[in-house]
Amino acid sequence: MTWKEKLAEKLPRTLADEIDVYETQLELRKLGKIDEKLFAETRLRRGAYGQRYDNGQRYDGVKTQRLQFPATTLTKGPDTMWDAPGMQRIKIPFGGLTPSQLETLADCAEEYSDSILHVTTRQDFQLHFVHIEDTPSLMRRLAASGITTREACGNSVRNVTACPLAGVCRTEAFDVTPYAKATAFFLLGHPDTQDFGRKFKVAFSGCEHEACGLVNMHDLGALAMTRDGKRGFRLYIGGGLGPVPYQAKVFADFVPEEELLPTAQAVSRVFARLGEKQNRARARIKFLVAKLGVEEFKRLVDEERKILPPDPRWTAFIPEAHGFKETALKSPSSLNGQAKPEGYKAWAETNVYQQLQPGYAVVTISLPIGDLTSSQARHLADFARKYCGENIRTTVEQNLVFRWVAEKDLPELYRELKTIGLGEFGAGTILDVVACPGTDTCKLGIASSRGLARELRKRLADQYFTMDAAVRGLRIKLSGCFNSCGQHHLADIGFYGNSRTLGNRKVPHFQVLLGGKWLDNAGSYGLAIGSVPSRNVPVVVERITKRFVKERRGDESFQDFIARIGKAESRKMLEDLMEVPAYEKDAAFYSDWGDPREFTMGDMGMGECAGEVVSRIDFDLQAAERLCFEAQLKLEAKDLAGADALAYKSMLQAAQGLVKELWYDVPNDSEVIVKEFRARLFEPKLFWDRFAGGKFAQDFFRRHENPPSRYDHDEVHRLIEESQLFIEAAHACADKLREQKAAQLSQVLK
Amino acid sequence: MDLYKIGIKLFVTNPQAVRLRDFIPVFHGWIQQQKIAGHQLIDVHDYSHVHNGPGILLVAHEGNFSMDQEGGRLGLFYYRKRPLEGGFEANLKSVTQTALQACTLLESEPKLDGLKFNTKEILVLTNDRLLAPNDAGARTKLEPVIARTLGKTALAPQSADPRERLAFMVTRS
């Protein structure tokens, strides 16, 4: 008996067929009858993602080991070993989940993964260390409980997210749940969404001024509004985080509800037709919108809308949407002064939200770094059946919520949560640190975001009750690299991982970003202040928060505080923490949180000279970083031309430093520097990111070839972000040049 | 029944003597030396922040090892992920041997001075709800094989909840 046979009657036909096709493709790949690239995109579109070390190599702290998998030549994608553990992403549209779905997820986590369910920053679940050959059974079991993994990864419409309070929120225009659901299933597998050059993320919000669905950072965001009593949405287009964050533009002030799906379809068509396909790094819709301008983009979408063949699904869901109402398990009730367990008060303050509907509350179940065990998940399913019925949702802050809990049940629910270790307080506070997987499992991770999050949570929990209330309310978000999966741009205090080389050793660092705005649907993005060694991050948090408390004026927000003291002062506050002690003085700086391996290039040994070697290129890159920072100061002072010039100059400085490594006498002539940089570093792919390819260099070339004739704040802001990333890439390139030099030297010495 | 997704947990007798995160460098050391025969050891994962979870996990291609805290009891939990050649009895024997080998290695680690496992009490778990659901039929079928293989004096089925995996606590003389 197989799961396919066992679940034959329970699987919807279309889902069963899709998974059968996927399983056949998997078999064909094993026989070598499907190209690895094609198979890679096939599995990605079913949510089966690669994971760290799947290229078959791992640095073990002493040397780089070749992992000896049974299938020595078979791959599941370029440079991706067949037998290497992978990650399965599971879409949960608008985060909506039932107890039985939670149980299925728990079973799958136990049998195919490591008994851990991880909630992501886009309301998905992820299971890690999954073997590719287990994925069809896993998908069938999920499908039998109404969950699809289709288009969870790949160049497709990703999970459609929505505010976890939708429908019970005290300030929303109306419940966006049925609209998010209709959009998710309308776009899923739609022929017009199958030819994107890159992923496409959609979100729904019910309120403008809360964080809600974070519509400003999405490819397509829909904010609920009513006009003359009629439901509709303000649509946003072209937002996104990633290496260079873009704030979404208003696409239309009011799109009536019956136009929501056709507009999304027309947007998809324009994106599929005109979006970049070759250069992955500039293929998100944000680049297309920026290139065309939002007015022209809208004109094209409107033209497309006119010629769309009518589809009954555009409006079929609307009557249901108007009648949509979740069922509460119990009658409303109030607490009525009943006895409360120890710890209840602190928990209720942060983890309980009084619903719009009197007598009911939303309970946030804080999950440490988004993780829960299969056993906890089964208990939660039992608790849900007892207290809130079908009304569970995941959140983008990596937690779960129970909605429609009768208020009188709150103390008992809290007591039960505590028995399974999920009664922690602090949801939505500084304790609720968000982190992407980082170096734990992600192929792109540079530094250990989860290791750092674990450490910060521990330290902050010890101090929580003595903290100023203003500090408790801050948010910390961490990403393991510049790709922003931890949404660091939106945090009061955000960090993303990078590395610096000191002598012959690499040191894990985190770039500090201050003043991002979570509220107002991701209202604004924090800007980089400087990079600090990972080991110093807890001190950075302590220092910034202490200063905020000390110098805060009245009810001043953290964003206003940072804006008032300015970036130069913010950086000055942290400057001593940017220093790295010598390895001999404190070796801990040279390894990452929770990982005893030395954070270094595996086969690079210590130099003959015992002293610290700081090369010329390090000085050049340091100068480039300084220029980039000065550009930020100019931007802060609203000197757009000055900021633009300095950002460009910082890239030029870094490029010149690199070229000097190959041609020492390169003149200070920008044309020559760019020409030589292109020929000596870009074209031979020395200045080349493994994942972003030549993107960072192309940003530099674009600015060099097209200096602005007029200055726009957003454009200049973006250039500064690009220059920061260019410098990060220059550090990586400098390492490559060092390796090359060392190899040449060893050849000569032979 | 070609059941190979089998888990074995051996409990630590003196959990107060060790800190969970002390296992992180130990497992990294095992990877450096590829200490477990027949296993491609890959990576270490820290789940110490999760209540009664997998604790510290050593991921291998063939099966995972963890200093597990499920049920609030610290122990070495090994579970097989990739197929084995034999039938259930041979597979159980193989999985048990691997778990015991890992325990012996941990007991000999200087960094975990004094760590001891109780080899008289073993949790046997089937991690496959298709081939071995938690019901009377599977229990009756597997119980004698487990008793024969592990030499029991007492064999107690664990949770009767059909959602849970079929598991037995074996007490040996």
Side-chain angles (χ1 to χ4, degrees):
Chain A
M1 168 85 82
T2 62
W3 281 111
K4 183 177 172 177
E5 290 157 353
K6 184 164 179 164
L7 299 174
E9 300 300 314
K10 289 188 180 168
L11 282 181
R13 193 64 258 154
T14 47
L15 286 182
D17 289 346
E18 280 175 14
I19 299 168
D20 288 349
V21 168
Y22 168 69
E23 193 167 36
T24 306
Q25 285 166 317
L26 202 140
E27 291 304 318
L28 289 172
R29 175 65 202 142
K30 279 166 83 174
L31 297 169
K33 292 186 175 172
I34 293 184
D35 169 69
E36 63 175 8
K37 277 187 187 167
L38 182 64
F39 181 72
E41 183 60 17
T42 302
R43 68 174 162 77
L44 286 170
R45 288 190 187 208
R46 303 239 49 110
Y49 214 77
Q51 211 177 284
R52 205 167 180 85
Y53 316 122
D54 66 8
N55 62 353
Q57 287 188 57
R58 180 182 179 276
Y59 176 66
D60 68 10
V62 177
K63 61 186 183 304
T64 299
Q65 277 194 24
R66 181 122 216 116
L67 302 177
Q68 306 291 332
F69 290 117
T72 51
T73 53
L74 184 61
T75 59
K76 49 187 174 181
D79 211 18
T80 310
M81 304 295 291
W82 183 260
D83 282 319
M87 178 268 277
Q88 178 67 50
R89 187 175 292 149
I90 299 158
K91 270 175 148 176
I92 308 293
F94 63 88
L97 202 61
T98 65
S100 63
Q101 289 175 331
L102 198 51
E103 285 168 341
T104 304
L105 286 160
D107 292 354
C108 290
E110 276 174 344
E111 292 180 44
Y112 306 117
S113 173
D114 56 2
S115 298
I116 290 287
L117 293 99
H118 176 72
V119 178
T120 76
T121 55
R122 293 207 73 258
Q123 296 180 303
D124 301 286
F125 276 98
Q126 283 181 186
L127 305 183
H128 293 99
F129 310 111
V130 176
H131 196 281
I132 187 75
E133 288 172 26
D134 286 333
T135 54
S137 292
L138 193 164
M139 288 169 193
R140 286 190 181 102
R141 293 171 77 176
L142 293 172
S145 70
I147 298 174
T148 182
T149 65
R150 182 167 181 184
E151 293 165 13
C153 307
N155 299 331
S156 55
V157 179
R158 301 295 186 85
N159 195 35
V160 173
T161 57
C163 175
L165 296 179
V168 296
C169 169
R170 299 193 299 265
T171 52
E172 70 185 3
F174 57 84
D175 185 356
V176 298
T177 305
Y179 299 89
K181 187 177 177 184
T183 306
F185 290 100
F186 176 69
L187 296 178
L188 181 73
H190 195 289
D192 291 338
T193 65
Q194 302 304 302
D195 194 25
F196 291 165
R198 200 75 171 83
K199 61 188 169 185
F200 188 79
K201 295 179 180 175
V202 183
F204 281 80
S205 284
C207 316
E208 187 169 4
H209 297 298
E210 299 296 325
C212 213
L214 306 169
V215 293
N216 275 311
M217 53 151 274
H218 279 82
D219 296 286
L220 179 65
L223 172 63
M225 320 208 91
T226 52
R227 189 173 279 183
D228 304 326
K230 194 169 165 38
R231 287 181 175 189
F233 296 89
R234 181 189 294 160
L235 287 189
Y236 292 82
I237 195 82
L241 298 181
V244 182
Y246 281 57
Q247 281 280 339
K249 307 283 181 204
V250 175
F251 172 84
D253 251 337
F254 188 81
V255 172
E257 58 186 339
E258 64 275 14
E259 280 300 307
L260 174 68
L261 298 187
T263 306
Q265 186 182 350
V267 166
S268 300
R269 281 190 170 197
V270 172
F271 179 43
R273 193 171 68 236
L274 300 178
E276 171 66 45
K277 298 279 169 52
Q278 301 305 317
N279 181 357
R280 193 174 171 275
R282 293 191 73 81
R284 292 288 291 273
I285 200 169
K286 61 188 179 184
F287 297 105
L288 180 64
V289 174
K291 188 170 139 192
L292 296 173
V294 71
E295 293 80 12
E296 174 61 9
F297 182 83
K298 185 172 186 311
R299 190 190 67 73
L300 291 166
V301 171
D302 290 343
E303 287 297 309
E304 197 66 47
R305 168 67 190 91
K306 284 178 201 158
I307 57 167
L308 284 181
D311 186 332
R313 291 179 297 168
W314 289 346
T315 52
F317 76 99
I318 291 175
E320 197 188 318
H322 281 253
F324 179 78
K325 196 170 178 301
E326 285 175 325
T327 314
L329 190 71
K330 296 189 179 179
S331 306
S333 58
S334 61
L335 271 166
N336 277 338
Q338 69 217 78
K340 321 251 182 354
E342 194 188 338
Y344 175 83
K345 189 169 175 282
W347 174 78
E349 268 171 20
T350 54
N351 291 46
V352 174
Y353 172 88
Q354 210 164 37
Q355 288 188 192
L356 169 70
Q357 298 82 2
Y360 291 107
V362 176
V363 167
T364 301
I365 298 153
S366 302
L367 306 177
I369 343 176
D371 290 344
L372 80 160
T373 65
S374 291
S375 170
Q376 286 173 324
R378 268 192 289 275
H379 278 105
L380 286 178
D382 289 340
F383 298 166
R385 288 190 181 103
K386 195 168 163 187
Y387 298 108
C388 75
E390 304 276 281
N391 304 310
I392 313 171
R393 294 203 187 179
T394 53
T395 80
V396 296
E397 293 200 277
Q398 303 181 303
N399 293 320
L400 291 174
V401 295
F402 277 11
R403 300 144 55 94
W404 296 97
V405 178
E407 283 184 7
K408 79 168 172 36
D409 284 341
L410 289 170
E412 189 53 19
L413 173 57
Y414 170 64
R415 200 190 57 73
E416 297 223 60
L417 288 172
K418 278 213 311 187
T419 64
I420 58 165
L422 289 177
E424 275 189 40
F425 62 89
T429 71
I430 197 164
L431 298 186
D432 204 1
V433 179
V434 165
C436 71
T439 48
D440 273 17
T441 50
C442 178
K443 287 161 88 162
L444 305 175
I446 296 173
S448 176
S449 42
R450 278 168 61 91
L452 177 56
R454 207 178 287 116
E455 186 65 25
L456 286 174
R457 280 174 59 89
K458 195 166 131 287
R459 293 193 192 201
L460 292 166
D462 293 342
Q463 303 157 13
Y464 186 78
F465 289 109
T466 56
M467 268 178 203
D468 189 279
V471 173
R472 288 184 192 171
L474 299 181
R475 278 181 160 81
I476 296 178
K477 295 184 189 293
L478 314 170
S479 300
C481 73
F482 50 72
N483 282 303
S484 315
C485 297
Q487 301 176 342
H488 56 258
H489 292 102
L490 310 183
D492 298 288
I493 308 174
F495 299 94
Y496 74 80
N498 55 24
S499 82
R500 294 287 182 268
T501 303
L502 221 84
N504 286 332
R505 289 192 159 93
K506 281 188 169 290
V507 183
H509 275 62
F510 277 88
Q511 180 68 241
V512 185
L513 292 98
L514 297 179
K517 197 170 187 188
W518 181 245
L519 295 177
D520 295 340
N521 277 280
S524 60
Y525 300 151
L527 265 183
I529 295 298
S531 201
V532 296
S534 184
R535 292 283 161 185
N536 278 342
V537 171
V539 190
V540 166
V541 172
E542 195 182 341
R543 191 175 288 182
I544 292 169
T545 52
K546 274 191 175 160
R547 180 141 179 199
F548 174 48
V549 171
K550 196 174 162 204
E551 297 181 14
R552 189 181 184 210
R553 292 180 182 166
D555 287 341
E556 190 176 38
S557 71
F558 185 76
Q559 287 75 28
D560 290 343
F561 166 72
I562 290 298
R564 176 167 61 76
I565 71 168
K567 292 202 171 52
E569 185 55 31
S570 300
R571 185 183 169 95
K572 200 171 145 201
M573 170 169 51
L574 306 178
E575 241 156 17
D576 61 314
L577 298 175
M578 293 174 185
E579 301 294 322
V580 181
Y583 181 81
E584 292 71 18
K585 203 172 165 194
D586 194 345
F589 276 76
Y590 297 77
S591 66
D592 217 333
W593 293 105
D595 189 339
R597 289 175 293 168
E598 192 176 308
F599 189 87
T600 180
M601 300 296 288
D603 43 9
M604 274 179 75
M606 284 285 286
E608 289 292 316
C609 171
E612 288 298 332
V613 182
V614 180
S615 68
R616 185 203 46 74
I617 181 72
D618 290 323
F619 285 114
D620 282 332
L621 295 180
Q622 200 179 61
E625 281 184 58
R626 195 191 63 243
L627 287 166
C628 179
F629 185 73
E630 285 170 8
Q632 292 183 20
L633 298 181
K634 292 277 184 197
L635 181 70
E636 193 180 45
K638 299 192 171 33
D639 177 359
L640 300 184
D644 171 86
L646 281 168
Y648 167 67
K649 203 171 159 192
S650 72
M651 290 198 259
L652 199 65
Q653 170 86 45
Q656 186 177 23
L658 291 170
V659 173
K660 265 190 198 170
E661 289 290 292
L662 303 169
W663 177 30
Y664 190 75
D665 293 322
V666 61
N668 290 328
D669 178 334
S670 61
E671 290 303 327
V672 179
I673 293 168
V674 173
K675 184 172 161 242
E676 294 297 327
F677 173 80
R678 187 188 288 275
R680 291 168 187 264
L681 293 152
F682 175 67
E683 283 167 0
K685 294 192 176 175
L686 282 164
F687 194 96
W688 196 260
D689 185 85
R690 200 173 146 210
F691 298 98
K695 179 203 175 314
F696 306 128
Q698 282 156 351
D699 293 337
F700 171 48
F701 298 145
R702 195 175 312 107
R703 168 58 185 82
H704 175 74
E705 285 152 17
N706 307 294
S709 51
R710 61 181 183 83
Y711 298 96
D712 170 88
H713 181 276
D714 282 2
E715 290 290 334
V716 176
H717 185 160
R718 203 167 298 137
L719 183 73
I720 294 172
E721 297 277 355
E722 285 168 350
S723 62
Q724 183 72 45
L725 293 167
F726 184 91
I727 296 164
E728 299 291 349
H731 277 283
C733 179
D735 288 337
K736 273 189 209 167
L737 294 176
R738 282 189 194 103
E739 280 173 48
Q740 230 177 36
K741 241 183 197 174
Q744 284 163 358
L745 192 62
S746 81
Q747 281 298 320
V748 172
L749 293 176
K750 265 184 194 171
Chain B
M1 186 187 277
D2 292 334
L3 180 64
Y4 64 87
K5 287 189 174 178
I6 302 164
I8 292 286
K9 184 168 175 179
L10 290 125
F11 299 94
V12 171
T13 57
N14 52 346
Q16 70 289 348
V18 283
R19 286 177 310 177
L20 191 59
R21 299 184 74 194
D22 288 346
F23 290 93
I24 295 175
V26 171
F27 283 157
H28 276 286
W30 285 16
I31 296 173
Q32 283 170 356
Q33 296 170 50
Q34 290 295 325
K35 275 211 168 177
I36 307 280
H39 285 68
Q40 172 60 59
L41 305 179
I42 301 172
D43 198 19
V44 182
H45 220 66
D46 182 355
Y47 284 125
S48 59
H49 55 281
V50 180
H51 177 77
N52 287 353
I56 306 301
L57 177 74
L58 170 59
V59 180
H61 169 69
E62 295 77 7
N64 291 346
F65 302 81
S66 72
M67 283 314 296
D68 176 87
Q69 296 180 305
E70 173 81 42
R73 292 184 71 188
L74 183 67
L76 181 284
F77 181 46
Y78 169 70
Y79 56 100
R80 182 78 193 184
K81 298 189 296 185
R82 303 308 300 156
L84 285 161
E85 294 297 314
F88 175 64
E89 187 168 346
N91 295 346
L92 174 62
K93 208 174 271 178
S94 162
V95 169
T96 308
Q97 277 167 0
T98 305
L100 286 167
Q101 186 200 352
C103 289
T104 307
L105 275 172
L106 284 171
E107 285 181 340
S108 66
E109 279 290 342
K111 287 175 195 157
L112 303 171
D113 189 28
L115 179 75
K116 284 278 172 238
F117 287 94
N118 177 5
T119 55
K120 304 288 184 197
E121 187 189 30
I122 302 175
L123 179 73
V124 180
L125 180 150
T126 60
N127 195 17
D128 188 330
R129 288 174 175 82
L130 183 71
L131 295 180
N134 192 6
D135 61 19
R139 260 197 299 277
T140 313
K141 211 168 187 176
L142 298 186
E143 217 174 286
V145 187
I146 295 170
R148 195 164 61 236
T149 313
L150 298 183
K152 62 112 188 182
T153 53
L155 198 150
Q158 298 298 287
S159 169
D161 184 344
R163 298 175 304 173
E164 297 289 344
R165 294 173 289 189
L166 179 61
F168 301 88
M169 190 66 82
V170 180
T171 311
R172 305 199 294 180
S173 51

